[in-house]
């Protein structure tokens, strides 16, 4: 799964809200955060347009009373956000 989402972040850079499939989700808490660097890929394939870094957040969020766990991915180079995974 990799669907584009609109994300609003706080002053600390953490995701606070996001829109997925026309629904607004409020982030209740950040469960995990990690960064994946792709520098090794560019060294082996310099012609690749593969982004250098991707940031991931696993968050607990909800559009109403029921919450789920969502994995958001941000590519700083292009400022694109996607929803990578959902656990309900």
């Amino acid at each position: 799964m990799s669907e584009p989402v609109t994300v609003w972040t706080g002053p600390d850079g953490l995701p606070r809200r996001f829109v997925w499939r026309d629904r607004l989700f409020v982030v209740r808490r950040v469960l995990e955060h990690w960064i994946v660097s792709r520098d090794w890929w560019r060294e082996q394939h310099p012609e690749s347009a593969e982004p250098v870094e991707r940031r991931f957040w696993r968050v607990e969020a909800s559009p109403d009373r029921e919450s789920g766990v969502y994995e958001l991915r941000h590519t700083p180079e292009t400022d694109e956000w996607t929803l990578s995974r959902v656990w309900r």
Side-chain angles (χ1 to χ4, degrees):
M1 164 186 236
S2 184
E3 293 186 43
V5 290
T6 301
V7 177
W8 289 271
T9 59
D12 52 7
L14 297 176
R16 300 289 184 209
R17 298 177 296 169
F18 62 93
V19 173
W20 175 50
R21 296 183 178 171
D22 297 324
R23 293 182 78 187
L24 177 65
F25 289 75
V26 176
V27 174
R28 305 290 179 206
R29 64 187 175 128
V30 174
L31 304 172
E32 289 183 72
H33 173 246
W34 66 97
I35 299 171
V36 176
S37 176
R38 296 289 182 190
D39 288 336
W40 64 269
W41 182 261
R42 284 204 182 193
E43 290 170 10
Q44 293 177 5
H45 305 278
E47 73 286 352
S48 174
E50 200 51 37
V52 172
E53 180 181 279
R54 289 187 178 147
R55 297 172 178 255
F56 292 83
W57 284 267
R58 189 165 295 147
V59 299
E60 181 181 325
S62 64
D64 46 38
R65 289 186 207 158
E66 288 188 39
S67 64
V69 176
Y70 302 85
E71 190 173 283
L72 300 169
R73 181 180 75 206
H74 182 237
T75 305
E77 263 187 358
T78 59
D79 198 29
E80 292 176 337
W81 286 87
T82 56
L83 182 64
S84 304
R85 212 164 168 190
V86 176
W87 296 268
R88 293 187 190 200

